[in-house]
Amino acid sequence: MSVPAERPLAAAGSPVGDATIGKPPAAGLSLPAMLGILAGVCLLWNGVLYLTGLWAPLWWLALFVDFVLIVLVAERIGRNVPPKRRKLYERTLAFGFPVLALVAWQLIVDAGILNPLWFPQPTRIAAALWDLTVHFDRFSGTSLLGRPWLIPWKFESDGWAGVWSLFAESHVWATLGRVAAGFVIGAIPGIMLGVVMGINQTVRLMLDTTLSAIYVLPKIAIFPIVMLMFADPFGEGPKIAVVALSVFFLMAINTMAGVRDIDPVFVMAGRNYGARGLPLYRHVIIPAALPVIFAGLRLALGTALIVIISIEFLRAKQGVGYMTFYYWEVLNPEKMYAGLVVVMILGVVLTYGLQWLQKKLMPWARG
Amino acid sequence: MTETNARAPETAPRIVTRNVTKVYDTVAGPMVAVDDFSLDVADGEFVCIVGPSGCGKSTYLRMLAGLDTHSSGTIQIRPGSDPKKPLNSVVFQEYAVFPWKTVIENVAFGLQMRGVGRAERLEVARYWLERVGLRKFADYYPHQISGGMKQRVSIVRALANDPEVLLMDEPLGALDAQTRIVLQDELLRIWEETRKTVVYITHSLDEAILLGDRVILMTAHPGRLLATFHIGIQRPRTVETLNTAEFAELRGAIWEQLGREVTRAMEMQS
Ligand SMILES: Nc1ncnc2c1ncn2[C@@H]1O[C@H](COP(=O)(O)OP(=O)(O)OP(=O)(O)O)[C@@H](O)[C@H]1O
Ligand SMILES: [Mg+2]
């Protein structure tokens, strides 16, 4: 009895339910109001903790709650951002948060909650970075960037050789050169082998196991062997070679996966419309595999940086890794951190370069 | 059922398929996809193949296009007098429009592979895009256009290539009813001008009768020839043909015979 009685009830109820569900979420408060509430709540939370003396022992909890509060408010704001302001909103989140994190770091160390010897304040790291940039280290004959402001002066006195000597003293250019050379020397043959392995089953069956085994081997472990293969074991050769090797294996395996994943109907269409041999690669196989190839290149870039920094830790007289390790040895944490910052900047800049290249080579990619 | 073909060709058939069988080697053992299938297509003939899903229509078309091997039998497309003309161009069921090329580059692709100069092939491509109402989208990438538009791009890519034989695998399959009718009309008009040899796969018996000189019915799994119907409806046809008494009569007759064929096929199987 009750079952049929419920049906009309539910039916009668549904329009009401729809009306409530269909309503947009209560139109958000204005932006300043939201930010005001956020500031107020944060201040209240941190203030209460501070006044009760709990902030210092519970600083991580305080920051975590602040983080959650910011996320909640940012989500609210994000829901009502007009499409025109969307970019600005996203930028603010992407760059605003790291700035906030740095400020928090600064305050915590200033307050003596964390030891400045291990976690020097961001301002002191920045100062150290500036110091490294403008000063020439007489002892090792190096500088961070190679003092580019001296280029006109050096060019006048010593010509191109003088300019070159400036580049040669730079840690950044030393690292960048090794990464770039190793990257190019490793990636191009790696991609080519990967394409062949993706297409040809015989080659794939013969090489796949070996390649996978070598791929998982930490390349730094073969550095000593590679050193012995070069006439000058302490020169640039072995360093570049190890970067190239790690990039090579990664790119071969990635590209192979990308080529194998190509929808066969594209290859069929290519062949049916007369693409054979090289044109088939140029017009069908390579473009179809490009997204995966670029994903591989990004991974390879990270790997290349890891490898070169480790090698510079171990055995180099120059390079950002060497510099970082050197300042650790002489217990100068600000400059050590400055070295890490430089590595990060290198990573970001190189990733952007790769993205730029991807946009150029893959104009069809979405977004 | 009228046995009189509109244009009985005297010359040798353009396509010869004799006792073709396709067996796929699967993990579960051999799987017969197409069984003892024979079909000749005359020059300039429009043949429609209708059959249930999975009966091997696409497999047959791929073998015809030389994109897949057959296990036994013979398949031949007779080359035309112009050696430069491609033998066949396929409109794939999955469109297979290249996502990395713009719409117009896709349409001009076959010509590009044949070494036709840039200006000329773009002009040809533009002409065909105009005919299917895609001129405005020439420089779009496929991910920026709808599925139905991609299907049209895939159709004109084949037409722009000007092959001896057009092989079309459910080219209007994913379109809404209105666009479908418009494009059926356009296809009829294009065929009337070009008189290409066409093998056309469709799920719709109406579409097959409307477009084809001959309708081939295939059995479900494995794909065999079930029945052949000659369609004698006067050319030129338009979508208006769908409303004529002649069409209705023909469709009724086919359905009637089809019912008998299906019953017979089912009895044979049991
Ligand atoms: N590469 C393959 N390996 C094994 N079996 C296959 C392969 N390709 C197709 N088949 C099988 O062959 C049969 C016929 O497939 P086909 O794609 O030709 O069907 P179809 O008639 O085109 O169907 P639809 O109307 O759904 O497109 C199906 O049972 C399918 O599973
Ligand atoms: Mg199919």
Side-chain angles (χ1 to χ4, degrees), chain A residues 115-128:
Chain A
N115 188 341
L117 194 59
W118 301 325
F119 301 101
Q121 292 93 323
T123 46
R124 284 175 55 201
I125 295 171

Side-chain angles (χ1 to χ4, degrees), chain B residues 208-227:
Chain B
I209 299 171
L210 173 66
L211 298 175
D213 295 319
R214 203 150 36 113
V215 175
I216 312 288
L217 292 172
M218 279 176 86
T219 60
H221 204 79
R224 289 202 194 91
L225 195 96
L226 177 62

Side-chain angles (χ1 to χ4, degrees), chain A residues 79 85-86 94 100 154 163 180 196 211 261 292 300 324 332 337:
Chain A
R79 245 177 267 159
R85 292 280 187 77
R86 192 82 218 163
L100 269 185
K154 271 275 186 186
V163 176
V196 172
L211 242 64
D261 246 17
V292 183
T324 309
N332 187 336
Y337 271 92

